[in-house]
Amino acid sequence: MVEENVALARYTTIGTGGPARRFARPSTIEELQEVLRTDDPVEVVGLGSNLLVHDDGVDALVLKLEGELAAAHVEGDLLVAGGGATNAVCLHRARAAGLGGFEFASAIPGTAGGGVRMNAGAYGREWKDVLVDAVVVDADGARTLTVAELDLSYRHSGLRPGQVVAQVRFELARSTPDAVKAKARELLEQRKATQPTNKRTFGSVFKNPAGSPGAGRMIEECGLKGHRIGGAMISPRHANFIENPGEATSADCIALMAEARRRVHERFGLELEHEVQFLGPLELPPL
Ligand SMILES: Cc1cc2nc3c(=O)[nH]c(=O)nc-3n(C[C@H](O)[C@H](O)[C@H](O)COP(=O)(O)OP(=O)(O)OC[C@H]3O[C@@H](n4cnc5c(N)ncnc54)[C@H](O)[C@@H]3O)c2cc1C
């Protein structure tokens, strides 16, 4: 069933943004194919953990995968996950089956499908290192795409708007539940030591330019840690994060991003590219 004017702020980790004009929660591939028979532009929300939604909302059909499309199970050494399965559920299934190799995702609060779209990664590993293939559905039907066909590189995939990752298969390695648990805990502790883990953020704001000291370090060197515009603030903990302490709008986040990007360009001569994905007519002003 398609709903109208559904508030998206509660579907994002930063907690800002307006409504989706149309919104549907398909729970099987058949339902997904059914809702994709539309003339509207189609967008997908995973866990909304790398997403900024326009304050006026999105003039599109926005999908949130549920049911079978958000479940995960193990088949031999393969973890088979719906595109909407959270990384936490995936890790739980892998751990219970004594499969290792997905622990790097323990600190990434997204979904299996969002991870494909972003080629998410941490601690030197990324989706493409464990992914076998993904079932991608669009208005023309369902196709299984290999890692090579998905064209994954640093926080990039070749997926086009309207293409929905409905299922993924990860190939993992034999381990033990205790070893998986210990590794995931160790990585989470490392994460807590350096990044804001209990604040409303959308993860990394900008990609790290190759050969640079990193977006966070450069923004910090511009003196912007703790800098506020409206209700949004550059994290005092890690400068490549924007926090919403309560009253931020997406426009505040964009203004902070524009300021950080301008200052880094002035000081380092580098053009930061945003990692966070925009939903609705959001854009950064030219430098
Ligand atoms: C505290 C915090 C820490 C983070 N740490 C990391 C990190 O270490 N490494 C890292 O890579 N990222 C990190 N992130 C960012 C984010 O968690 C990842 O990019 C994650 O993979 C996004 O998944 P999602 O399901 O939340 O996608 P969303 O944020 O909902 O969407 C992101 C993009 O993926 C698309 N998308 C989502 N689901 C699908 C689907 N099923 N099919 C097609 N497209 C889809 C959306 O349309 C959008 O373009 C962090 C975020 C937070 C808040």
Side-chain angles (χ1 to χ4, degrees):
M1 198 190 73
V2 176
E3 301 160 63
E4 301 212 337
N5 293 319
V6 171
L8 289 176
R10 70 188 177 94
Y11 291 102
T12 68
T13 52
I14 188 82
T16 63
R21 188 168 61 75
R22 302 178 74 224
F23 189 80
R25 309 161 201 263
S27 57
T28 61
I29 292 227
E30 294 71 30
E31 282 179 23
L32 176 58
Q33 286 178 313
E34 179 67 37
V35 292
L36 285 172
R37 286 190 203 106
T38 173
D39 291 333
D40 282 339
V42 173
E43 303 281 1
V44 197
V45 169
L47 214 66
S49 61
N50 211 191
L51 210 53
L52 189 64
V53 179
H54 195 286
D55 291 316
D56 293 338
V58 189
D59 190 11
L61 169 65
V62 177
L63 304 180
K64 169 89 182 153
L65 306 184
E66 293 190 344
E68 273 176 29
L69 297 179
H73 67 274
V74 165
E75 291 176 13
D77 288 351
L78 293 177
L79 176 67
V80 183
T86 63
N87 299 339
V89 162
C90 291
L91 187 62
H92 181 78
R93 296 281 180 271
R95 190 182 77 199
L99 289 178
F102 198 64
E103 297 90 331
F104 73 94
S106 58
I108 306 178
T111 60
V116 175
R117 169 68 185 76
M118 301 304 300
N119 187 31
Y123 311 109
R125 301 203 85 194
E126 42 191 20
W127 249 235
K128 75 177 170 62
D129 299 327
V130 283
L131 196 67
V132 178
D133 52 27
V135 177
V136 174
V137 184
D138 61 17
D140 297 328
R143 276 182 311 151
T144 300
L145 300 184
T146 61
V147 181
E149 288 168 326
L150 286 162
D151 186 23
L152 304 180
S153 57
Y154 172 59
R155 303 301 170 267
H156 166 88
S157 72
L159 287 173
R160 293 185 307 278
Q163 290 191 305
V164 183
V165 177
Q167 189 186 70
V168 306
R169 295 196 305 161
F170 298 110
E171 182 153 39
L172 302 180
R174 284 282 133 207
S175 180
T176 65
D178 284 348
V180 172
K181 189 175 175 182
K183 181 78 186 163
R185 182 172 293 167
E186 178 198 320
L187 295 178
L188 264 175
E189 289 306 319
Q190 279 184 37
R191 181 57 66 102
K192 281 186 193 156
T194 54
Q195 292 182 11
T197 51
N198 57 353
K199 307 280 183 195
R200 304 209 76 153
T201 75
F202 44 66
S204 294
V205 179
F206 298 105
K207 296 183 185 183
N208 290 317
S212 78
R217 180 59 56 87
M218 290 190 287
I219 296 168
E220 181 176 349
E221 285 184 21
C222 292
L224 288 171
K225 263 188 167 178
H227 186 69
R228 282 175 181 259
I229 295 183
M233 173 173 71
I234 298 201
S235 172
R237 189 102 197 238
H238 190 305
N240 200 24
F241 283 73
I242 288 177
E243 295 181 8
N244 172 11
E247 302 298 327
T249 63
S250 293
D252 295 337
C253 297
I254 289 284
L256 260 188
M257 288 172 69
E259 179 65 4
R261 197 161 167 267
R262 187 183 68 76
R263 299 269 288 266
V264 166
H265 185 244
E266 252 174 37
R267 184 163 174 157
F268 297 93
L270 286 172
E271 290 190 18
L272 290 176
E273 184 190 343
H274 60 93
E275 178 173 324
V276 58
Q277 299 296 297
F278 295 158
L279 220 58
L282 288 172
E283 58 180 354
L284 291 171
L287 282 167

